[in-house]
Amino acid sequence: MVIAMICGCHAPGTDHNAATPYLGPTEPMAKVVAEINANNAAIPTIWARDYFAGMLVDEQKHIHHVNAEGLLLMSKPASIRLVGNKPGVTLFDMGTDGKRFWMSVPIEVDTMWWGNNKNIDRPCAQSIPIQPEGILEVLGVGEFDAANLNQPPVPVMRFEADADAYVFIWNHPQSDHWAATKEVWYDRTTKRAFRVRLFDPNGRVAMEAELSDNKQIAIDGQPKEKWPWLARVYRLSFPDSGSKITLSLVEVYLRSEEGAPTERSFVMPNPQRAGVSKVVQIDEACGQ
């Protein structure tokens, strides 16, 4: 499994570039949205052990290879934390509580980046090797506001015959035009996400992810046919920085036996106590 993750090989059954396009019947947007929401609404939180294999490129274009085991914690609507460890050592800690985000890499990189979510796409903000908020988006557990599909960001659906997939593109109004912010590809038959692209304000791909190896999450008291599905392998690339990571979830529950995640799971580390010599507030120039 580790070899497959590092080489980027796809598992059987995840190839959506079929030689013969699908030309059969498709479903209306309302039905597709309802099926996606039915699965994703059953995943309000995630507690997972994971394996992380990454190549991080810092602002000086130095390449750092990071391989670790760790924890992934998620709580809707906007909190996520990803921690990577080796025995006795924290290799990285990244996350967001919905208001602030951070990424700390004490070993070798010796740097912590942090900022405010409201400034992520503003010209006054510097770049960050991996945007934690983006990882939250690619988990593929987001829900549509089915009662307000005309409320920005507005989702538009099209069908991609070559990939046999429904493609949703979210659009948001700018001062003088509309701009795409996110694109998610869903398998036609299963309605499970297998590709996610996030765009910057100029329409460039800021992050791309390939999702595979879907498995069910067990829920006590529920029959297996009602257990939700979640991808277990995520291959992420960040074109601007050149960083790439593969995240494999090897043990997944809605919550741990101790009840995590809780609100305390997403408290940003104090930058002065993060164990790094360099702290970068990437939106310092944006002011208050």
Side-chain angles (χ1 to χ4, degrees):
M1 179 183 69
V2 174
I3 293 173
M5 290 190 297
I6 294 174
C7 76
C9 304
H10 289 278
T14 62
D15 184 5
H16 287 86
N17 295 305
T20 303
Y22 173 80
L23 301 177
T26 57
E27 300 160 297
M29 180 173 173
K31 187 174 186 301
V32 176
V33 165
E35 289 190 37
I36 294 170
N37 278 356
N39 183 81
N40 293 357
I43 311 176
T45 57
I46 294 174
W47 182 95
R49 297 191 187 279
D50 64 69
Y51 180 83
F52 180 104
M55 180 186 75
L56 308 182
V57 183
D58 63 25
E59 59 266 33
Q60 281 79 41
K61 301 302 180 182
H62 297 152
I63 296 175
H64 308 273
H65 295 279
V66 180
N67 297 277
E69 296 179 350
L71 285 177
L72 170 70
L73 303 169
M74 185 279 293
S75 180
K76 291 179 179 177
S79 299
I80 191 168
R81 190 166 193 174
L82 184 61
V83 180
N85 301 298
K86 285 190 175 180
V89 179
T90 297
L91 297 182
F92 62 85
D93 182 340
M94 67 179 77
T96 176
D97 60 4
K99 296 180 180 179
R100 297 188 300 176
F101 61 88
W102 69 91
M103 178 178 177
S104 177
V105 188
I107 305 300
E108 188 176 341
V109 183
D110 195 22
T111 303
M112 176 179 177
W113 297 264
W114 73 277
N116 297 282
N117 288 40
K118 64 181 181 180
N119 295 325
I120 287 175
D121 292 324
R122 294 181 63 188
C124 53
Q126 303 175 49
S127 62
I128 184 172
I130 296 175
Q131 178 52 257
E133 187 182 45
I135 296 179
L136 176 63
E137 294 280 2
V138 305
L139 287 177
V141 295
E143 298 168 45
F144 293 80
D145 184 356
N148 296 286
L149 292 175
N150 286 321
Q151 180 70 29
V154 175
V156 176
M157 186 182 86
R158 67 180 179 87
F159 183 72
E160 182 65 43
D162 289 338
D164 195 11
Y166 295 107
V167 182
F168 283 85
I169 302 176
W170 280 260
N171 303 275
H172 199 280
Q174 305 296 313
S175 59
D176 58 352
H177 67 284
W178 284 72
T181 59
K182 179 174 67 172
E183 177 183 281
V184 183
W185 296 49
Y186 295 92
D187 181 89
R188 176 183 58 84
T189 57
T190 66
K191 309 302 186 298
R192 297 170 201 152
F194 66 89
R195 181 174 300 142
V196 178
R197 293 188 178 113
L198 305 181
F199 304 104
D200 70 13
N202 296 317
R204 292 165 53 91
V205 176
M207 182 174 69
E208 183 167 14
E210 298 288 332
L211 289 60
S212 60
D213 191 25
N214 282 271
K215 290 183 174 64
Q216 289 178 285
I217 303 176
I219 300 180
D220 292 340
Q222 293 284 347
K224 188 173 182 179
E225 60 268 21
K226 291 189 177 182
W227 293 355
W229 292 81
L230 180 72
R232 302 301 173 97
V233 177
Y234 302 82
R235 296 176 177 86
L236 290 75
S237 61
F238 303 80
D240 284 347
S241 69
S243 297
K244 295 182 180 182
I245 64 175
T246 296
L247 180 66
S248 179
L249 308 184
V250 295
E251 185 181 357
V252 183
Y253 303 96
L254 294 185
R255 292 189 183 276
S256 70
E257 293 182 355
E258 292 76 24
T262 65
E263 187 175 338
R264 295 182 61 185
S265 302
F266 308 103
V267 175
M268 187 180 85
N270 185 327
Q272 306 306 318
R273 300 176 183 174
V276 298
S277 60
K278 183 180 181 181
V279 176
V280 179
Q281 181 182 349
I282 71 164
D283 62 344
E284 186 174 11
C286 300
Q288 297 298 321

PDB file of all heavy atoms in Angstrom, residues 17-29:
ATOM      1  N   ASN A  17     -11.238   7.678 -16.800  1.00  0.00           N
ATOM      2  CA  ASN A  17     -10.933   8.073 -18.169  1.00  0.00           C
ATOM      3  C   ASN A  17     -11.179   6.869 -19.084  1.00  0.00           C
ATOM      4  O   ASN A  17     -10.266   6.306 -19.673  1.00  0.00           O
ATOM      5  CB  ASN A  17      -9.489   8.555 -18.280  1.00  0.00           C
ATOM      6  CG  ASN A  17      -9.261   9.819 -17.476  1.00  0.00           C
ATOM      7  OD1 ASN A  17      -9.947  10.810 -17.652  1.00  0.00           O
ATOM      8  ND2 ASN A  17      -8.294   9.782 -16.570  1.00  0.00           N
ATOM      9  N   ALA A  18     -12.429   6.445 -19.167  1.00  0.00           N
ATOM     10  CA  ALA A  18     -12.781   5.259 -19.926  1.00  0.00           C
ATOM     11  C   ALA A  18     -12.578   5.472 -21.417  1.00  0.00           C
ATOM     12  O   ALA A  18     -12.702   6.590 -21.933  1.00  0.00           O
ATOM     13  CB  ALA A  18     -14.229   4.875 -19.645  1.00  0.00           C
ATOM     14  N   ALA A  19     -12.265   4.384 -22.126  1.00  0.00           N
ATOM     15  CA  ALA A  19     -12.066   4.467 -23.565  1.00  0.00           C
ATOM     16  C   ALA A  19     -13.368   4.784 -24.281  1.00  0.00           C
ATOM     17  O   ALA A  19     -13.378   5.453 -25.320  1.00  0.00           O
ATOM     18  CB  ALA A  19     -11.486   3.146 -24.079  1.00  0.00           C
ATOM     19  N   THR A  20     -14.491   4.330 -23.731  1.00  0.00           N
ATOM     20  CA  THR A  20     -15.798   4.569 -24.338  1.00  0.00           C
ATOM     21  C   THR A  20     -16.616   5.505 -23.460  1.00  0.00           C
ATOM     22  O   THR A  20     -16.914   5.179 -22.304  1.00  0.00           O
ATOM     23  CB  THR A  20     -16.560   3.243 -24.507  1.00  0.00           C
ATOM     24  OG1 THR A  20     -15.773   2.344 -25.281  1.00  0.00           O
ATOM     25  CG2 THR A  20     -17.887   3.485 -25.207  1.00  0.00           C
ATOM     26  N   PRO A  21     -16.996   6.681 -23.957  1.00  0.00           N
ATOM     27  CA  PRO A  21     -17.788   7.610 -23.145  1.00  0.00           C
ATOM     28  C   PRO A  21     -19.144   7.018 -22.783  1.00  0.00           C
ATOM     29  O   PRO A  21     -19.706   6.206 -23.522  1.00  0.00           O
ATOM     30  CB  PRO A  21     -17.961   8.819 -24.074  1.00  0.00           C
ATOM     31  CG  PRO A  21     -16.886   8.691 -25.102  1.00  0.00           C
ATOM     32  CD  PRO A  21     -16.668   7.223 -25.282  1.00  0.00           C
ATOM     33  N   TYR A  22     -19.646   7.419 -21.616  1.00  0.00           N
ATOM     34  CA  TYR A  22     -20.991   6.994 -21.213  1.00  0.00           C
ATOM     35  C   TYR A  22     -22.014   7.896 -21.895  1.00  0.00           C
ATOM     36  O   TYR A  22     -21.994   9.119 -21.738  1.00  0.00           O
ATOM     37  CB  TYR A  22     -21.145   7.081 -19.697  1.00  0.00           C
ATOM     38  CG  TYR A  22     -22.557   6.810 -19.229  1.00  0.00           C
ATOM     39  CD1 TYR A  22     -23.021   5.496 -19.119  1.00  0.00           C
ATOM     40  CD2 TYR A  22     -23.432   7.843 -18.947  1.00  0.00           C
ATOM     41  CE1 TYR A  22     -24.326   5.232 -18.710  1.00  0.00           C
ATOM     42  CE2 TYR A  22     -24.736   7.589 -18.535  1.00  0.00           C
ATOM     43  CZ  TYR A  22     -25.179   6.285 -18.425  1.00  0.00           C
ATOM     44  OH  TYR A  22     -26.462   6.031 -18.037  1.00  0.00           O
ATOM     45  N   LEU A  23     -22.933   7.301 -22.659  1.00  0.00           N
ATOM     46  CA  LEU A  23     -23.923   8.066 -23.410  1.00  0.00           C
ATOM     47  C   LEU A  23     -25.347   7.735 -22.976  1.00  0.00           C
ATOM     48  O   LEU A  23     -26.313   8.076 -23.662  1.00  0.00           O
ATOM     49  CB  LEU A  23     -23.758   7.796 -24.912  1.00  0.00           C
ATOM     50  CG  LEU A  23     -22.383   8.135 -25.504  1.00  0.00           C
ATOM     51  CD1 LEU A  23     -22.323   7.767 -26.970  1.00  0.00           C
ATOM     52  CD2 LEU A  23     -22.051   9.606 -25.306  1.00  0.00           C
ATOM     53  N   GLY A  24     -25.493   7.048 -21.846  1.00  0.00           N
ATOM     54  CA  GLY A  24     -26.810   6.666 -21.360  1.00  0.00           C
ATOM     55  C   GLY A  24     -27.514   7.793 -20.628  1.00  0.00           C
ATOM     56  O   GLY A  24     -27.066   8.950 -20.628  1.00  0.00           O
ATOM     57  N   PRO A  25     -28.608   7.476 -19.962  1.00  0.00           N
ATOM     58  CA  PRO A  25     -29.393   8.501 -19.255  1.00  0.00           C
ATOM     59  C   PRO A  25     -28.654   9.054 -18.040  1.00  0.00           C
ATOM     60  O   PRO A  25     -27.837   8.353 -17.430  1.00  0.00           O
ATOM     61  CB  PRO A  25     -30.658   7.750 -18.844  1.00  0.00           C
ATOM     62  CG  PRO A  25     -30.245   6.310 -18.777  1.00  0.00           C
ATOM     63  CD  PRO A  25     -29.219   6.135 -19.859  1.00  0.00           C
ATOM     64  N   THR A  26     -28.935  10.287 -17.702  1.00  0.00           N
ATOM     65  CA  THR A  26     -28.386  10.916 -16.505  1.00  0.00           C
ATOM     66  C   THR A  26     -29.537  11.441 -15.654  1.00  0.00           C
ATOM     67  O   THR A  26     -30.704  11.391 -16.060  1.00  0.00           O
ATOM     68  CB  THR A  26     -27.434  12.069 -16.876  1.00  0.00           C
ATOM     69  OG1 THR A  26     -28.124  13.025 -17.689  1.00  0.00           O
ATOM     70  CG2 THR A  26     -26.225  11.539 -17.643  1.00  0.00           C
ATOM     71  N   GLU A  27     -29.201  11.951 -14.479  1.00  0.00           N
ATOM     72  CA  GLU A  27     -30.224  12.372 -13.523  1.00  0.00           C
ATOM     73  C   GLU A  27     -30.259  13.885 -13.381  1.00  0.00           C
ATOM     74  O   GLU A  27     -29.258  14.565 -13.633  1.00  0.00           O
ATOM     75  CB  GLU A  27     -29.936  11.723 -12.166  1.00  0.00           C
ATOM     76  CG  GLU A  27     -29.948  10.208 -12.202  1.00  0.00           C
ATOM     77  CD  GLU A  27     -29.217   9.600 -11.022  1.00  0.00           C
ATOM     78  OE1 GLU A  27     -28.007   9.830 -10.909  1.00  0.00           O
ATOM     79  OE2 GLU A  27     -29.869   8.907 -10.226  1.00  0.00           O
ATOM     80  N   PRO A  28     -31.390  14.436 -12.948  1.00  0.00           N
ATOM     81  CA  PRO A  28     -31.466  15.882 -12.732  1.00  0.00           C
ATOM     82  C   PRO A  28     -30.622  16.296 -11.530  1.00  0.00           C
ATOM     83  O   PRO A  28     -30.345  15.490 -10.637  1.00  0.00           O
ATOM     84  CB  PRO A  28     -32.952  16.131 -12.485  1.00  0.00           C
ATOM     85  CG  PRO A  28     -33.478  14.823 -11.996  1.00  0.00           C
ATOM     86  CD  PRO A  28     -32.684  13.768 -12.701  1.00  0.00           C
ATOM     87  N   MET A  29     -30.237  17.551 -11.522  1.00  0.00           N
ATOM     88  CA  MET A  29     -29.359  18.062 -10.476  1.00  0.00           C
ATOM     89  C   MET A  29     -29.944  17.843  -9.079  1.00  0.00           C
ATOM     90  O   MET A  29     -29.222  17.469  -8.145  1.00  0.00           O
ATOM     91  CB  MET A  29     -29.095  19.549 -10.708  1.00  0.00           C
ATOM     92  CG  MET A  29     -28.196  20.204  -9.674  1.00  0.00           C
ATOM     93  SD  MET A  29     -27.774  21.892 -10.146  1.00  0.00           S
ATOM     94  CE  MET A  29     -26.923  22.474  -8.681  1.00  0.00           C
TER      95      MET A  29
END
